[in-house]
Amino acid sequence: MAFQVPSVTIEELLDSASPVVDVRTPKEFAEFRIPGAVNLPIFSNEERVQVGTTYTQEDPNSAKHLGLELVSGKLPELFQQIKALYEEKGERVIIHCWRGGMRSRTIVALMNSLGVPCCQLEGGIRSFRRLIVQELDVFAETAPRFIVIEGLTGTRKTDILEHLRQEGYPVLDLEGMAGHRGSAFGAIGLTQNSQKQFENLLWQRLHDLKNAPYILIEAESKRIGNVILPDFVLERKWSGARIHMSYPFQKRVKSLHEEYEPEKNEQEFRAAVARVEKRIDARIRKELDEAMEKRDYFQVISILLESYYDPRYRFSADQYDTPVVEIQMEHFQEGVDQVKRAIEELSGMKNVEKC
């Protein structure tokens, strides 16, 4: 296809108010996407596999003919959807696929021929991926120092950070970006993000916080579910000042029970317990199995904390040698208030700048 269509760069896209249409498959869109883009796929997940198989096993022309057959019946609805976006925004529509190839070029040419102003993203979403990688390298050098919220499992660190984020504090929610809580139980009730989408969300948030005097994060290991943290995030975590939170044991158990809802998510919860108990002493394993058999999930959580999670956490915490503020809390709001005071102390600011 040698014809030319109007195009924009990724920088022009991000700087515009134009609606963005992603014509890739739902699977591709779920893995990684441009903020605010609308997914109007011209192929289903299965259809794209069909076209790709035809391309490799037969020839490019056969793949094109198959693609035309699969798309032709969808074009009237696709036209109406893109036209509606143009009329709603009053801006030309930017259309993209993976690398700025046939899928987006064909739709742009068709829409323009039918009177709906459209243009193609140069290089497709791959150009967005390249931009993210480049700018994360810049953030690695320029990101402000971190203040790390730490504490044993169940001390409501994530809840407190979310509360602070809603109040405008510069919080980097790594678990939220990963779609995982960072333990064997971390995926229960959540949808995990791909590495690419995690880095997309990280890039967006760091861009928002580029002028913040500090960034608040929760202490995380190198891996959160399927996602691996960039080295510069880990380095700033290890060198950052710390706020260490303590919370009564039974309240930690109750907090984790409310978070994971084992009665509701029983299959996932049991699978997570099975993964963890392999690493626990045989005597404790027997006690754990008995509690699982009785569906005494409060006891299960208690055993896991005492015999597995707390010892692992204490070992990891001993590796730090950075400044720390100790917090003892009995209630959630008390914890929030104490963390705010600790932030003031560690940042040297009485009027904490918010973002």
Side-chain angles (χ1 to χ4, degrees):
M1 299 181 67
F3 57 83
Q4 298 295 313
V5 297
S7 64
V8 296
T9 65
I10 184 60
E11 290 83 5
E12 290 170 327
L13 180 152
L14 294 173
D15 197 40
S16 77
S18 296
V20 179
V21 169
D22 185 333
V23 295
R24 298 176 303 148
T25 64
K27 181 180 178 181
E28 291 174 289
F29 184 79
E31 182 184 7
F32 177 55
R33 54 200 172 272
I34 292 173
V38 177
N39 188 211
L40 299 178
I42 63 172
F43 296 135
S44 68
N45 299 330
E46 297 75 18
E47 286 170 344
R48 184 164 187 247
V49 172
Q50 276 185 273
V51 173
T53 301
T54 302
Y55 186 96
T56 55
Q57 294 185 356
E58 297 182 29
D59 56 77
N61 281 332
S62 298
K64 290 176 185 177
H65 291 149
L66 174 60
L68 181 60
E69 289 177 15
L70 294 171
V71 170
S72 58
K74 305 173 186 178
L75 291 177
E77 182 180 2
L78 189 64
F79 168 75
Q80 292 298 334
Q81 291 172 315
I82 295 174
K83 180 171 178 283
L85 283 171
Y86 166 67
E87 291 174 345
E88 177 187 348
K89 298 289 186 179
E91 298 272 352
R92 64 179 180 174
V93 180
I94 301 173
I95 296 176
H96 77 83
C97 54
W98 170 234
R99 58 182 181 182
M102 185 179 294
R103 284 183 287 180
S104 57
R105 190 185 305 126
T106 301
I107 300 303
V108 169
L110 175 65
M111 296 302 298
N112 281 313
S113 71
L114 294 173
V116 179
C118 291
C119 58
Q120 183 186 36
L121 173 61
E122 292 178 12
I125 200 170
R126 287 203 308 183
S127 65
F128 182 47
R129 175 65 181 160
R130 284 194 296 271
L131 177 70
I132 288 173
V133 171
Q134 291 167 1
E135 294 207 352
L136 285 179
D137 286 341
V138 174
F139 284 130
E141 301 297 327
T142 62
R145 64 196 181 98
F146 285 5
I147 296 177
V148 184
I149 310 297
E150 63 178 29
L152 294 168
T153 303
T155 52
R156 303 196 67 182
K157 303 180 292 293
T158 302
D159 295 337
I160 287 176
L161 281 172
E162 174 57 20
H163 186 92
L164 293 174
R165 188 194 65 78
Q166 291 180 10
E167 287 192 12
Y169 281 78
V171 172
L172 198 59
D173 180 9
L174 297 170
E175 292 185 0
M177 295 171 190
H180 196 283
R181 301 182 190 89
S183 73
F185 297 81
I188 293 177
L190 300 177
T191 300
Q192 295 189 60
N193 281 326
S194 68
Q195 183 75 30
K196 290 178 182 178
Q197 184 61 12
F198 169 80
E199 290 176 5
N200 176 7
L201 297 172
L202 177 64
W203 167 78
Q204 291 180 53
R205 185 57 174 158
L206 285 172
H207 192 272
D208 292 341
L209 301 179
K210 62 184 177 183
N211 296 320
Y214 60 86
I215 289 177
L216 297 168
I217 68 161
E218 184 174 340
E220 303 286 355
S221 59
K222 183 175 180 63
R223 182 181 289 273
I224 306 177
N226 295 329
V227 162
I228 298 174
L229 296 183
D231 288 341
F232 79 89
V233 172
L234 293 168
E235 289 164 3
R236 276 175 169 71
K237 181 197 78 168
W238 282 106
S239 62
R242 295 174 292 135
I243 300 173
H244 184 274
M245 303 178 60
S246 297
Y247 197 42
F249 183 81
Q250 290 305 323
K251 290 188 176 183
R252 290 168 54 209
V253 173
K254 182 174 182 291
S255 171
L256 291 169
H257 183 270
E258 290 174 352
E259 183 172 11
Y260 292 113
E261 299 181 289
E263 291 84 2
K264 176 182 175 182
N265 301 303
E266 189 169 29
Q267 186 173 352
E268 290 178 279
F269 188 84
R270 285 181 173 273
V273 170
R275 288 193 293 272
V276 170
E277 69 176 355
K278 299 172 185 176
R279 308 169 194 173
I280 296 176
D281 178 83
R283 180 183 60 81
I284 303 297
R285 222 166 32 235
K286 183 175 184 298
E287 185 182 349
L288 183 63
D289 289 342
E290 289 173 355
M292 286 293 292
E293 185 67 25
K294 296 175 183 176
R295 288 183 167 80
D296 185 352
Y297 294 121
F298 284 95
Q299 179 64 8
V300 169
I301 294 170
S302 297
I303 293 169
L304 289 172
L305 289 180
E306 290 178 325
S307 62
Y308 183 70
Y309 283 104
D310 287 2
R312 282 171 59 91
Y313 172 80
R314 291 189 180 101
F315 174 80
S316 176
D318 287 343
Q319 314 305 308
Y320 289 91
D321 60 0
T322 49
V324 62
V325 175
E326 298 283 351
I327 286 178
Q328 301 276 344
M329 73 173 193
E330 290 286 334
H331 307 288
F332 179 75
Q333 189 57 50
E334 177 191 13
V336 171
D337 294 339
Q338 288 194 63
V339 168
K340 287 180 179 179
R341 289 194 290 272
I343 292 169
E344 292 177 3
E345 177 182 337
L346 292 170
S347 66
M349 301 171 62
K350 287 301 180 183
N351 297 312
V352 177
E353 183 172 343
K354 302 190 182 167
C355 302

